[in-house]
Amino acid sequence: MPQPAAAVADGSEARTGGPSAGSEFAPLLRTVQARGLLERRHAWYARVVVGNALALAGVVTGLVLVGDSWWALLLAVPLAVLFARTAFIGHDAGHAQITGDKDTGRLIGLVHGNLLLGLSYAWWNAKHNRHHANPNHVDKDPDVAADVLVFSGDQAGGRQGLRRWLTRNQAWLFFPLTLLEGVALKVHGFRDLRRQPPREALVEGTLLVAHVAAYTGLLLTVLSPGKALAFAAFHQALFGLHLGLAFAPNHKGMEMPDPDGERWGHLRRQVLTSRNIRGGAVTDWLLGGLNYQIEHHLFPSMPRPHLRLAQPLVRAHCRDVGIPYTETGLLDSYRQALRHLHEVGADLRTP
């Protein structure tokens, strides 16, 4: 089982960056601990989990009541939004935000990831932990590894054929490509079963298959095959887009550590590579608290409702130690992320 990304919240990871890194982060950590912001909010999460389950049940009931009609496709919209809420709950479980008990946290993650979404909790958690440990590091962060998209000029240099065309146009293609993200995550999860220990793979695989069977069975029971296929395509596309809208603003276009340069301590590594999104309660809900990306990366195990309370403390501390604290509006964050992707492919557009 991968080490929870929440491990850095106790300050031990910060100290590995040397005395300077530890001295920068330690005062902030003490302040946050003194305010009780790392204490878990079991009742808050219980309401979120129950409310999300009831809302999912309501949409499924609505789908059954509407029956074999094209109007049923309208329900794909709230279902995609609720799938994203479900993913956020699984994300928080993986960071030990909901509970400190590993078995309970894993159970919550398996139910919300594998069973309800068809996404492998073990695969996602392992990948996401590596991202948290070294955000935006081209050699260590899987989220910026060269694939369909690239995030640095060095990655773009050797692209040929279709990949070269994709890189040249990746800023325009970014959001259309997110329409495939929901399906891509499922495929990655199934493929990762070969890497997992046999017992874990059996549990994960059984729940993934159960999701596919239940999802397909529901649609084919209620809708004709053509409408069922249209509903699934529309729903999964909207789900992927929603995830893309939530994750795109957080790190794209921010600092990317030089693999051969100075090793940053925890505070600088997390703050300089992350971007916060301004907004109120609606933004918090739509982005699942990931709009407080700086605070989340500094304190991964901090419960979601405490992130906004930690923000002024983190902002003030960054000002005191002279570290830029980046915060912008939602639309501007997309503009910055897309501009970065456009600039990465600039050399490939030069005749």
Side-chain angles (χ1 to χ4, degrees):
M1 191 66 187
Q3 178 70 20
V8 300
D10 64 0
S12 59
E13 192 279 339
R15 287 192 290 272
T16 65
S20 176
S23 64
E24 285 185 327
F25 181 64
L28 176 61
L29 176 62
R30 288 194 293 268
T31 300
V32 166
Q33 288 176 325
R35 299 288 182 92
L37 297 181
L38 295 180
E39 297 177 4
R40 292 179 176 84
R41 294 283 299 274
H42 297 120
W44 187 90
Y45 272 109
R47 292 194 297 271
V48 169
V49 169
V50 172
N52 187 70
L54 291 175
L56 284 170
V59 173
V60 171
T61 301
L63 183 61
V64 173
L65 293 176
V66 172
D68 189 19
S69 167
W70 287 108
W71 289 107
L73 268 67
L74 295 177
L75 291 173
V77 178
L79 189 60
V81 173
L82 291 173
F83 263 41
R85 306 308 101 203
T86 305
F88 294 147
I89 294 172
H91 167 271
D92 292 2
H95 281 299
Q97 293 179 23
I98 301 176
T99 174
D101 183 81
K102 291 183 179 180
D103 291 336
T104 303
R106 180 169 182 260
L107 177 61
I108 295 172
L110 287 171
V111 169
H112 287 81
N114 295 55
L115 185 60
L116 294 179
L117 297 180
L119 309 181
S120 170
Y121 173 71
W123 168 78
W124 166 258
N125 212 30
K127 174 179 177 290
H128 197 58
N129 286 349
R130 296 197 303 275
H131 159 69
H132 264 262
N134 292 282
N136 268 13
H137 192 295
V138 292
D139 293 336
K140 299 179 180 180
D141 182 359
D143 287 356
V144 293
D147 195 0
V148 176
L149 303 177
V150 296
F151 303 94
S152 72
D154 290 341
Q155 291 176 330
R159 309 279 274 189
Q160 297 296 330
L162 176 60
R163 289 182 178 272
R164 183 180 181 89
W165 180 85
L166 288 171
T167 302
R168 289 170 55 188
N169 299 282
Q170 62 180 5
W172 299 100
L173 295 171
F174 179 78
F175 284 115
L177 285 172
T178 64
L179 298 174
L180 303 174
E181 185 66 11
V183 175
L185 291 173
K186 291 177 171 59
V187 172
H188 283 302
F190 272 103
R191 293 174 60 182
D192 190 65
L193 293 176
R194 295 173 295 180
R195 179 199 61 84
Q196 298 176 19
R199 185 175 179 180
E200 185 171 291
L202 177 61
V203 173
E204 290 253 343
T206 300
L207 292 174
L208 290 177
V209 171
H211 166 81
V212 173
Y215 184 84
T216 305
L218 171 66
L219 294 186
L220 290 178
T221 299
V222 175
L223 304 171
S224 65
K227 294 187 183 72
L229 181 61
F231 184 98
F234 188 39
H235 169 231
Q236 295 298 329
L238 290 178
F239 174 48
L241 178 62
H242 193 335
L243 291 181
L245 291 171
F247 288 110
N250 302 335
H251 302 282
K252 305 298 182 286
M254 295 302 296
E255 291 280 353
M256 300 187 72
D258 183 354
D260 301 320
E262 177 187 0
R263 188 176 185 276
W264 293 341
H266 181 60
L267 185 71
R268 291 177 182 270
R269 180 163 61 250
Q270 305 300 345
V271 174
L272 294 177
T273 60
S274 302
R275 178 193 294 113
N276 273 20
I277 308 301
R278 287 192 294 268
V282 173
T283 304
D284 291 0
W285 186 78
L286 284 174
L287 300 185
L290 298 179
N291 45 313
Y292 303 105
Q293 190 69 194
I294 294 173
E295 289 71 28
H296 170 56
H297 263 255
L298 286 172
F299 305 100
S301 67
M302 180 178 288
R304 197 192 309 174
H306 287 173
L307 294 171
R308 65 180 180 84
L309 303 178
Q311 184 182 36
L313 303 177
V314 174
R315 186 193 290 117
H317 183 71
C318 288
R319 182 178 62 246
D320 292 343
V321 299
I323 297 178
Y325 180 98
T326 302
E327 185 178 24
T328 187
L330 183 62
L331 294 181
D332 187 55
S333 72
Y334 297 138
R335 181 187 63 79
Q336 293 182 31
L338 294 177
R339 181 177 62 188
H340 173 72
L341 292 175
H342 186 71
E343 291 173 350
V344 166
D347 288 345
L348 301 186
R349 293 189 299 273
T350 303

